[in-house]
Amino acid sequence: MKLARFRGGSQSRGRPCGSRVGAAAAEPPEVSLPAPAGQVSQRPHGAVGHVSFRRNASCYPAQGRGGTSSSTPGAGRGGLLSAGAAVRGEARGPASAAVREADFGPRPLRGFSTPPRASRAPSPDGQRAPCCGRAQPAPLPCPASPGASQGPCPGVRDKTPSSGGNTVGTMFLVKMFYLIKGVKCYSPVSQMHKVTGALFKAHVLRNTLGNNESFRISRALSQLSSEKANSYNYVIVGAGSAGCVLANRLTEDPLSTVLLLEAGPKDTLLGSKRLMWKIHMPAALTYNLCDEKYNWYYHTTSQKHMDNRIMYWPRGRVWGGSSSLNAMVYIRGHAEDYNRWSREGAVGWDYEHCLPYFKKAQMHELGPDQYRGGKGPLHVSRGKTNHPLHHAFLEATQQAGYPFTDDMNGYQQEGFGWMDMTVHKGQRWSAASAYLHPAISRPNLSITEKTLVTKILFQGTKSIGVEYLKNGQMKKAFASKEVILSGGAINSPQLLMLSGIGNADDLKKLGIPVVCHLPGVGQNLQDHLEVYVQQKCTKPITLYSAQKPVSMARIGLEWLWKFTGDGATAHLESGGFIRSEPGVPHPDIQFHFLPSQVIDHGRVASTMEAYQVHVGPMRSTSVGWLKLKSTDPKAHPIIEPNYMSTERDIWEFRQCIKLTREIFAQKAFEKFRGPEIQPGNHVQSDKEIDAFIRQKADSAYHPSCTCKMGQLSDSTAVVDPQTKVIGVENLRVVDASIMPSIVSGNLNAPTIMIAEKAADIIKGLPSLQEKNAPVYKPKTLETQR
């Protein structure tokens, strides 16, 4: 594994000498005594095979000796615990190595050499040579006669091989022990008493703790070892738009280790984007809107203000998240959206502090200027199809009295023009392409796909890691610095609630222990609702013919060969923003024009030559919520967007229909205009328009604001302006869920900006700032245009 190499080795390696495990470093070196052959201890719990005392078991890796690693959990932890294990006849991990040492001689100790191994020839009386064939060490000096070196010490009976003893080998081990301790005078008899005393202490310890207690200690030590092996500086949950940015930026520091966990699969197959063409071919975007393989496939509750319809919410579940499924429209929103955030409590997130991070992320094909970036990883381009219906739409908007804007992400959002797209060289340029793939080779980044995070782990109110499900097995990963949630506006609040952070009353009803009462979790849900106004086209120039099987094969082959043609764009290349009525300070209605017909999110094939506008309000006043359905992490939460619950929203949608019809009625469309498909010419009155909206409006796929950023004094806030979850430690949320309120436009670009800015906050860097960037304001608010 890549991470193992970066850390200097895998778990199978022993600890380096000098490392400490609890109190083991203060314990004496190992001494192994064989029991006399044919004799069995009368201790109540089995034979005493060997007695092991370890000074530091991890200093003696068992690799290369046929045994288990010295890092084996719960084994050889030193001192009386090892002795107790030996008393029970256990031989686990390093303890088993101790048994072999007694059988075949001691291992070399630091600063000493082992006597040379002799051949294992049988002795003249037919028995194996003493010490299993090892050469006998020189006679030990007798303490009673200083300087004497002739023969064994008086009072110690030399045992022959036939007696089953190995006193000489034992004396060698004891001598090593005292040489390490620096003891000059040595008494074998006294050492035998000490060994006997240690055996007695081990026996007492065993009877005191019992088998279960010893097992619990062993398991605890094993868990500590596992935690260290699975510990990172940062654990990021979700490899979506924000998670990819964070994974890249945080691993720019080679000393920061990051684990990125994603519930879905990779966005490549065998390293190839072509083999995953359903993601990377821009024109193929509707495939994944209908495919649960890369899609969470959420649904809302029955919407009582929309004829009790259940609304479909596709969300990305793949590397890149929804940036691997979306329509690739790059829209930042209006400068006043971010100034509003600051007023709502997100101090430091006004436009002058956000604009530099939009630019930092971006590499625009038109080059940098006061508003565009030119060195970032996120490639942004303009449409290149030059389709006549796009030109007709832009001409019609000007005929209707709206201005043309050459950059709706720059000085002037209001008006119509060519939209920016996250498409690069004919391929979708998702957050995974921009940020994750360039960082994959970094040794301090680990990525795990098809992994469902089920819970955040806490010690009190301090986040220490996560629990996750991988290949049917529950595992844990630990964060020494922070856990960062980047699962999006649905998954992030869901995981918080599953982990005990949310409304205490709701959590208690489900039996979830409360870590922190934060009633704002899952509240403040906001989304963009839109409707399609469709017109039949009198000329065969729409994308209808391109959706025929033969044409699709031709388009697909061209894209696979050289990333060009009709497959190299999402075709949503023109659009704009206008104000719904006089007095509105900045645009609150958005348009996307498409030279084709879309039915039911693209899940139903178009039936005729047609073009359409996607239109909807940008700052709806209807606010919803989401809650847990159960404690099962796999169960989708209850999603209640509460669409069309205010009179203001109903009125704004009427305006959307009326203003779109006005644009389609302009002279520029005369040569293309056929009958209106929907709403249809029979829908004219406000009541009829309202009924049409209830029946046909759908989500624009922009859920947000469910972990609202705000001040500590705001009872609905979930994170502070530093993106830290309020009331707990070492936990952040960084994604679209922390928006205090929804922005006036698509959400992918703002989400990437949020993550870029949060990365600097996490790294302790001062915020970038760009003062006095001019922003267009209408000459008068007394008129709508």
Side-chain angles (χ1 to χ4, degrees):
M1 292 291 291
K2 171 174 58 182
L3 181 64
R5 293 196 302 271
F6 173 73
R7 293 186 172 188
S10 66
Q11 292 183 22
S12 64
R13 298 179 184 171
R15 295 175 183 269
C17 278
S19 65
R20 301 176 69 90
V21 181
E27 294 168 354
E30 177 180 289
V31 180
S32 299
L33 296 181
Q39 298 182 20
V40 179
S41 170
Q42 298 303 312
R43 298 184 185 278
H45 294 283
V48 180
H50 296 81
V51 182
S52 299
F53 303 95
R54 279 194 180 275
R55 183 178 185 183
N56 189 341
S58 60
C59 293
Y60 306 95
Q63 290 177 327
R65 297 183 64 90
T68 57
S69 166
S70 62
S71 62
T72 302
R77 295 294 173 179
L80 295 179
L81 286 180
S82 294
V87 168
R88 294 190 298 274
E90 298 172 1
R92 298 192 305 267
S96 62
V99 172
R100 288 188 300 278
E101 286 176 9
D103 287 338
F104 300 102
R107 298 186 186 184
L109 299 176
R110 191 180 294 275
F112 297 92
S113 60
T114 306
R117 185 184 297 273
S119 63
R120 301 179 62 179
S123 61
D125 58 358
Q127 299 296 323
R128 180 168 291 184
C131 293
C132 296
R134 289 186 184 274
Q136 293 295 315
L140 301 174
C142 178
S145 305
S149 60
Q150 301 296 322
C153 179
V156 178
R157 180 169 56 90
D158 188 18
K159 296 186 178 180
T160 64
S162 60
S163 66
N166 194 355
T167 305
V168 177
T170 300
M171 294 303 101
F172 178 80
L173 283 173
V174 176
K175 181 179 181 183
M176 292 302 99
F177 170 79
Y178 270 85
L179 284 172
I180 292 172
K181 287 300 210 178
V183 177
K184 302 256 177 146
C185 185
Y186 155 74
S187 171
V189 176
S190 64
Q191 300 320 308
M192 293 301 291
H193 282 299
K194 290 184 178 182
V195 170
T196 304
L199 282 171
F200 176 73
K201 291 178 182 178
H203 175 63
V204 172
L205 178 66
R206 184 203 178 283
N207 288 335
T208 301
L209 297 178
N211 288 328
N212 292 336
E213 186 67 22
S214 297
F215 175 75
R216 283 195 291 269
I217 293 174
S218 174
R219 185 171 58 181
L221 293 172
S222 174
Q223 289 173 349
L224 288 173
S225 175
S226 177
E227 287 180 18
K228 185 172 182 180
N230 296 309
S231 181
Y232 306 81
N233 294 134
Y234 302 99
V235 173
I236 302 171
V237 180
S241 297
C244 289
V245 175
L246 292 173
N248 182 297
R249 295 306 190 190
L250 295 181
T251 55
E252 287 176 337
D253 177 1
L255 300 180
S256 290
T257 57
V258 172
L259 172 64
L260 179 62
L261 301 168
E262 167 55 39
K266 297 179 180 180
D267 66 337
T268 57
L269 181 62
L270 302 177
S272 170
K273 290 185 176 182
R274 283 184 170 89
L275 295 179
M276 293 282 273
W277 60 269
K278 288 184 179 181
I279 289 178
H280 298 284
M281 182 193 294
L285 67 96
T286 58
Y287 280 100
N288 294 322
L289 296 179
C290 316
D291 188 354
E292 292 186 73
K293 183 175 182 180
Y294 311 114
N295 184 351
W296 285 102
Y297 228 77
Y298 289 119
H299 290 83
T300 70
T301 61
S302 176
Q303 295 300 289
K304 63 181 179 180
H305 302 292
M306 300 191 71
D307 291 349
N308 294 315
R309 291 167 56 208
I310 294 174
M311 315 293 280
Y312 171 53
W313 275 21
R315 305 306 300 154
R317 185 169 54 84
V318 62
W319 280 15
S322 293
S323 73
S324 291
L325 269 66
N326 66 7
M328 291 151 281
V329 175
Y330 180 90
I331 295 292
R332 295 176 177 177
H334 195 277
E336 283 304 309
D337 292 325
Y338 304 101
N339 294 333
R340 183 181 69 248
W341 282 9
S342 182
R343 294 192 298 270
E344 291 171 339
V347 177
W349 291 81
D350 51 13
Y351 185 61
E352 68 181 38
H353 287 93
C354 291
L355 176 60
Y357 290 100
F358 280 118
K359 296 171 66 175
K360 179 181 180 179
Q362 187 183 54
M363 182 180 287
H364 202 290
E365 69 174 3
L366 299 180
D369 65 10
Q370 190 170 7
Y371 304 93
R372 291 193 296 259
K375 297 181 180 179
L378 185 67
H379 285 279
V380 177
S381 63
R382 292 279 170 89
K384 297 177 176 61
T385 63
N386 205 31
H387 198 286
L389 285 172
H390 280 299
H391 286 280
F393 174 69
L394 293 179
E395 185 180 353
T397 61
Q398 294 175 62
Q399 291 172 349
Y402 297 104
F404 176 84
T405 175
D406 61 357
D407 188 356
M408 58 191 71
N409 291 310
Y411 166 69
Q412 182 177 339
Q413 185 194 51
E414 186 167 350
F416 291 85
W418 299 102
M419 292 197 296
D420 288 331
M421 303 183 299
T422 50
V423 175
H424 179 54
K425 295 182 177 179
Q427 303 169 62
R428 174 192 292 274
W429 202 252
S430 66
S433 296
Y435 289 92
L436 190 55
H437 287 287
I440 286 176
S441 61
R442 294 176 185 169
N444 54 335
L445 174 61
S446 298
I447 310 171
T448 303
E449 69 275 359
K450 298 180 181 178
T451 300
L452 179 65
V453 177
T454 59
K455 189 195 312 184
I456 305 165
L457 302 175
F458 288 94
Q459 284 182 348
T461 58
K462 178 181 178 182
S463 171
I464 61 170
V466 298
E467 182 180 82
Y468 62 92
L469 187 64
K470 173 74 172 178
N471 297 327
Q473 295 183 339
M474 199 63 74
K475 300 181 180 182
K476 294 179 180 180
F478 299 91
S480 61
K481 290 186 177 179
E482 291 179 331
V483 172
I484 306 171
L485 306 189
S486 296
I490 301 174
N491 298 79
S492 287
Q494 180 186 20
L495 184 56
L496 286 174
M497 290 185 283
L498 286 169
S499 307
I501 299 177
N503 188 298
D505 293 336
D506 293 339
L507 299 179
K508 289 175 182 177
K509 289 177 184 177
L510 293 173
I512 298 174
V514 178
V515 174
C516 181
H517 173 59
L518 272 184
V521 175
Q523 300 298 305
N524 195 42
L525 174 59
Q526 299 177 37
D527 185 27
H528 289 143
L529 200 64
E530 67 179 12
V531 71
Y532 304 157
V533 176
Q534 298 176 340
Q535 197 91 27
K536 191 171 182 178
C537 186
T538 58
K539 293 186 177 181
I541 59 172
T542 70
L543 300 179
Y544 175 66
S545 60
Q547 298 172 58
K548 302 290 185 179
V550 174
S551 297
M552 291 175 67
R554 175 185 56 79
I555 291 169
L557 288 173
E558 180 180 351
W559 184 87
L560 289 170
W561 180 31
K562 51 185 179 179
F563 298 133
T564 58
D566 284 343
T569 175
H571 298 279
L572 288 163
E573 297 185 355
S574 63
F577 296 85
I578 64 173
R579 292 175 289 124
S580 60
E581 62 175 338
V584 176
H586 62 93
D588 57 349
I589 294 178
Q590 181 178 11
F591 295 80
H592 300 80
F593 179 79
L594 180 69
S596 183
Q597 179 191 35
V598 175
I599 305 173
D600 188 25
H601 306 269
R603 294 183 289 187
V604 176
S606 61
T607 58
M608 64 186 75
E609 297 276 358
Y611 52 87
Q612 69 182 37
V613 156
H614 306 215
V615 60
M618 288 293 96
R619 297 188 296 279
S620 295
T621 54
S622 297
V623 176
W625 49 264
L626 64 85
K627 294 183 179 181
L628 294 180
K629 185 181 299 182
S630 73
T631 58
D632 182 3
K634 297 180 181 179
H636 290 177
I638 301 169
I639 301 172
E640 175 52 83
N642 202 26
Y643 288 132
M644 303 295 292
S645 59
T646 68
E647 285 298 322
R648 176 67 188 180
D649 290 355
I650 295 172
W651 181 88
E652 286 180 346
F653 258 109
R654 289 185 203 139
Q655 285 295 95
C656 289
I657 299 299
K658 294 175 182 180
L659 295 172
T660 301
R661 280 175 161 173
E662 182 186 8
I663 293 172
F664 277 175
Q666 299 301 315
K667 184 179 179 179
F669 275 112
E670 277 186 356
K671 56 186 176 181
F672 306 115
R673 188 189 310 117
E676 186 178 85
I677 301 169
Q678 66 174 40
N681 291 330
H682 63 284
V683 178
Q684 295 296 329
S685 68
D686 287 353
K687 185 177 180 179
E688 290 168 340
I689 292 174
D690 294 347
F692 167 73
I693 296 299
R694 289 195 301 269
Q695 294 165 9
K696 293 297 184 179
D698 258 312
S699 172
Y701 320 143
H702 299 160
S704 56
C705 309
T706 50
C707 295
K708 172 185 174 182
M709 177 164 46
Q711 297 296 306
L712 300 181
S713 57
D714 183 354
S715 62
T716 65
V718 177
V719 302
D720 65 15
Q722 304 299 307
T723 71
K724 294 180 179 179
V725 177
I726 296 170
V728 297
E729 302 171 64
N730 296 1
L731 180 62
R732 296 181 192 261
V733 180
V734 179
D735 54 33
S737 72
I738 70 172
M739 294 180 178
S741 56
I742 198 165
V743 300
S744 305
N746 305 65
L747 299 194
N748 186 240
T751 301
I752 290 173
M753 178 277 295
I754 287 172
E756 284 277 17
K757 183 169 169 58
D760 274 4
I761 293 173
I762 293 168
K763 293 192 285 188
L765 300 176
S767 176
L768 301 177
Q769 186 176 11
E770 191 162 333
K771 296 182 178 181
N772 303 319
V775 176
Y776 169 84
K777 292 183 179 180
K779 294 179 180 179
T780 177
L781 295 181
E782 294 180 0
T783 58
Q784 180 261 335
R785 68 193 84 172

